[in-house]
C-alpha cells in the first residue's frame, strides 16, 4: 500500500485533518504542532482525538507526522532560544501521547557560527533532556539542505546526533527529497547509491518518513526551496522511483510542495497512478 499525504492545517482539529486527507485520496498527513513561527499550542480536545483515532482505524491510515515549529533551534548561540526549543519540544512530546505511536519531526537547527561539533552537542543534550522511556512517539531528525550553518546536511551529522542520544530506540530520520538533493545526494542519477549510503551510515530501519518535494534549485545548491512535483530539477520520474523503491515500502510519504488543497489532490493522484505496488 502507498501511504501518502500532504501538509494540512491543524486549526480545526485532528478529525477534520483526517477527513480532509481522505477527501483528496490521502491516508496520512503532516501538521504543525503549533504556529510554525512558534507560540502556544492549541488546547487538546480529547473527544476530537478519540474520534480521530477511530477514524484512523476505520480508514486504514498509516502513522501521521507532527512537525515542530521552524523557530525551534536546539543549537542556537542564544540561551533563551535554546530554552524555547527545550520547552516547546517537551510540551509537544507530552501532547503527542494523546495520539500514541505517531511521528514527530524537527529541523536539527543552525549552530550560527559556533561550529557543527558544538551545535550537535547541544542538540544531543536537548534530546536527552526531553525523551523518556515510556513515550510512544518516534522523534525524527530531518535531513537538511545545508544552507548557512544548518546541522543535518549529511547523513554523518545525523548519525552523530543519534549516537549521542541515550534512548536511541526513540529516534528516527525523515528524509526530504529536496533537501538531500540540494545537499549533494544525487537521488536523480544514483538513488540506489544514496540509499546504500544511508543504510551504511544510519540504517534504513531508522528511515521513518519521506518528504516528497521537487526542488526549485539545481543539484548541490545548498538552498531550500520546494517545487511542485515534476516541475523542478528533481523531476517526476525520480519521485516515481522513490515511491516504488522496494526498500522504501510502507513508509509515509508527505508532500510539502507549494500547493493549495486541490494541488495536493492532483499530486497525490499522479503518484498513486504511478505506484506499482
Amino acid at each position: 500500500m502507498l501511504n501518502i499525504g500532504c501538509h494540512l492545517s491543524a486549526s480545526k482539529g485532528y478529525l477534520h485533518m483526517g477527513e480532509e486527507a481522505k477527501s483528496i485520496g490521502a491516508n496520512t498527513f503532516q501538521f504543525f504542532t503549533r504556529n510554525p513561527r512558534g507560540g502556544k499550542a492549541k488546547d487538546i480536545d480529547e473527544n476530537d482525538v478519540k474520534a480521530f483515532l477511530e477514524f484512523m482505524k476505520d480508514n486504514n491510515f498509516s502513522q501521521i507526522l507532527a512537525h515542530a515549529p521552524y523557530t525551534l533551534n536546539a543549537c542556537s548561540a542564544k540561551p533563551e532560544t535554546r530554552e524555547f526549543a527545550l520547552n516547546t519540544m517537551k510540551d509537544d512530546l507530552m501532547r503527542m501521547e494523546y495520539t500514541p505511536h505517531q511521528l514527530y519531526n524537527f529541523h536539527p537547527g543552525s549552530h550560527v557560527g559556533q561550529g557543527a561539533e558544538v551545535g550537535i552537542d547541544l542538540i544531543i543534550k536537548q534530546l536527552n533532556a526531553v525523551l523518556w522511556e515510556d513515550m510512544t512517539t518516534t522523534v525524527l531528525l530531518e535531513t537538511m539542505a545545508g544552507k548557512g550553518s544548518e546541522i543535518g546536511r549529511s547523513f554523518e551529522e545525523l548519525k552523530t546526533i543519534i549516537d549521542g542520544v541515550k534512548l536511541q530506540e526513540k529516534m528516527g530520520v525523515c528524509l526530504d527529497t529536496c533537501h538531500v538533493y540540494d545537499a549533494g545526494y544525487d537521488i536523480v542519477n544514483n538513488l540506489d547509491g544514496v540509499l546504500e549510503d544511508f543504510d551504511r551510515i544510519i540504517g534504513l530501519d531508522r528511515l521513518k518518513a519521506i518528504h516528497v518535494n521537487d526542488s526549485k534549485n539545481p543539484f548541490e545548491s545548498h538552498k531550500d526551496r520546494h517545487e511542485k512535483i515534476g516541475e523542478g530539477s528533481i523531476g517526476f520520474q525520480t519521485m516515481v522511483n522513490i515511491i516504488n523503491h522496494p526498500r522504501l515500502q510502507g513508509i509515509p510519504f508527505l508532500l510539502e510542495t507549494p500547493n493549495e488543497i486541490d494541488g495536493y489532490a492532483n499530486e497525490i493522484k499522479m503518484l498513486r497512478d504511478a505506484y506499482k505496488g
Side-chain angles (χ1 to χ4, degrees):
M1 177 185 290
L2 178 63
N3 297 320
I4 190 165
C6 63
H7 192 96
L8 298 174
S9 169
S11 61
K12 295 182 181 179
Y14 285 98
L15 182 59
H16 181 269
M17 286 190 286
E19 292 172 341
E20 187 171 37
K22 183 182 177 182
S23 75
I24 58 171
N27 64 336
T28 183
F29 59 85
Q30 173 180 279
F31 66 99
F32 279 118
T33 58
R34 61 194 68 215
N35 186 298
R37 299 299 169 193
K40 185 180 182 297
K42 181 181 176 182
D43 290 340
I44 295 283
D45 180 340
E46 294 192 38
N47 289 327
D48 172 57
V49 170
K50 182 179 179 181
F52 170 66
L53 293 175
E54 287 299 317
F55 176 89
M56 284 186 77
K57 290 179 186 176
D58 293 343
N59 291 278
N60 295 313
F61 264 51
S62 79
Q63 286 178 300
I64 58 172
L65 181 64
H67 199 304
Y70 293 137
T71 46
L72 192 155
N73 185 4
C75 59
S76 172
K78 297 179 179 179
E80 62 271 22
T81 303
R82 296 199 302 272
E83 184 71 15
F84 168 82
L86 178 70
N87 292 335
T88 298
M89 185 177 285
K90 187 181 295 184
D91 184 49
D92 280 353
L93 292 178
M94 292 296 294
R95 293 162 57 86
M96 288 295 296
E97 292 304 304
Y98 282 93
T99 53
H101 307 289
Q102 307 306 324
L103 306 170
Y104 176 82
N105 178 65
F106 77 105
H107 292 184
S110 297
H111 63 72
V112 286
Q114 301 175 96
E117 188 174 336
V118 172
I120 287 170
D121 185 58
L122 289 169
I123 295 165
I124 290 169
K125 286 179 179 176
Q126 172 164 310
L127 288 166
N128 282 331
V130 300
L131 303 184
W132 70 96
E133 288 188 5
D134 294 336
M135 66 184 286
T136 66
T137 303
T138 302
V139 177
L140 310 186
L141 297 162
E142 184 168 337
T143 59
M144 303 306 295
K147 68 180 189 294
S149 61
E150 281 181 339
I151 300 291
R153 66 183 66 203
S154 70
F155 298 157
E156 286 84 358
E157 286 188 347
L158 298 180
K159 170 64 170 172
T160 301
I161 294 170
I162 293 169
D163 283 348
V165 175
K166 294 174 184 175
L167 297 174
Q168 292 181 16
E169 68 276 14
K170 310 297 183 185
M171 296 297 302
V173 173
C174 174
L175 186 147
D176 186 298
T177 57
C178 172
H179 294 175
V180 294
Y181 188 69
D182 286 12
Y185 291 96
D186 194 356
I187 57 174
V188 174
N189 299 300
N190 190 24
L191 176 59
D192 284 339
V194 172
L195 294 179
E196 286 168 10
D197 284 347
F198 188 100
D199 194 29
R200 175 176 52 83
I201 297 164
I202 298 175
L204 277 171
D205 59 318
R206 290 202 185 274
L207 182 55
K208 303 298 185 181
I210 296 180
H211 284 159
V212 184
N213 303 307
D214 215 320
S215 175
K216 289 182 181 291
N217 296 101
F219 177 64
E220 210 168 5
S221 60
H222 299 292
K223 305 287 186 182
D224 180 3
R225 296 185 66 209
H226 299 184
E227 182 54 282
K228 296 175 183 178
I229 300 301
E231 296 184 19
S233 59
I234 298 175
F236 181 67
Q237 186 56 51
T238 297
M239 302 306 174
V240 173
N241 295 342
I242 288 169
I243 64 169
N244 284 297
H245 199 284
R247 303 190 76 182
L248 301 178
Q249 297 311 295
I251 296 173
F253 295 97
L254 290 311
L255 295 157
E256 295 181 317
T257 47
N259 273 308
E260 300 298 332
I261 196 70
D262 57 341
Y264 282 135
N266 181 57
E267 289 184 341
I268 289 169
K269 183 179 187 305
M270 287 167 54
L271 292 170
R272 283 208 182 280
D273 287 348
Y275 183 61
K276 299 173 184 176

